[in-house]
Amino acid sequence: MTTNRDRQRAAARARLEREMSHRAEQSRVRRRRNTTIAAGAGALIVLLAAAWVVIAVTSDGDKKNQAAADPSATPTPTSCSFLPMAHPSTSASPDPETAKYTKDVGLPPATGEARTGTQTMTLDTSAGTIKIQVDTAHAPCAAESFTYLASKKFFDNSICHRLVLQQVYVLQCGDPSGTGYGGPSYRYAEENLPTDKRPAYAEGVVAMANNGQPASTGSQFFIVYKDIEDSAQLKPNYTVIGRVTEGLDLVKKIAAAGVQPEPSAEPSAPASEGKPKTEVKINSLTMSTPQP
């Protein structure tokens, strides 16, 4: 018979597989599956049904529009392609529920993205300042997307909607709706995947959430506040954009405070993931110009 502890760990793995940017379908019931961070990742997963994405932080995407079966086999693109979140053949007009969680600020420029050096992402949050060194040279499309969205104040006044406390140690942010379902009106391909790193997602790493399908990266991102060991079975399918250079202690303090319990949770089983008890509001997110 499994214990509450075993069930919590299994739920954390399953929900990381299905959510990381959207906490779609309350994936606790899908026990003992390989973990993937699928929170909508700037993706609107469940609500996009057969289309796309988002958090979570996974719903079935429109596989017709995917060029590869496994994002880990996708090299860093030589040019950035920002795609509509839904495959054009699925519907003439967007699902009203999907549109409700989408923040449409247009598309980043099709050309001219920086492909060298680094940038500094600064999160001015209610918990303090967090700075991230963005690897523009190896994640140019993600860097371009962040630079564009920051210029549109896309992230301003949004909350970090998801904290995971067991096996996968992440704080997830980047959804203006605060639901885990939200993101921009576009998606793009994964890049800079840590296929040769052990652990793939070490303490201090910042990576993009997606829905487990190729080219499903959006705006949601997660900060790793403790090494995610290989035993957590988190596949290296999420774009690494850089590392925290300031403020990781703040994230650890937020994690230590725990998460808000869900009404449906067992009283005897402390929650292992959910909204942080300490609200983390992004007052503003800014990107510096690229530096050599």
Side-chain angles (χ1 to χ4, degrees), residues 107-130:
L107 296 175
T111 60
E113 70 279 352
R115 289 185 168 266
T116 60
T118 63
Q119 292 175 260
T120 298
M121 180 192 300
T122 302
L123 304 178
D124 173 16
T125 81
S126 56
T129 300
I130 300 172

Side-chain angles (χ1 to χ4, degrees), residues 71 138 144 155 283-284:
H138 295 97
E144 176 67 13
F155 301 99
N283 300 316
S284 66

Side-chain angles (χ1 to χ4, degrees), residues 15 23 26 28 261-267 269:
R15 291 178 65 165
R23 292 171 43 181
Q26 296 299 310
R28 292 176 192 235
E262 294 186 6
S264 59
E266 299 177 30

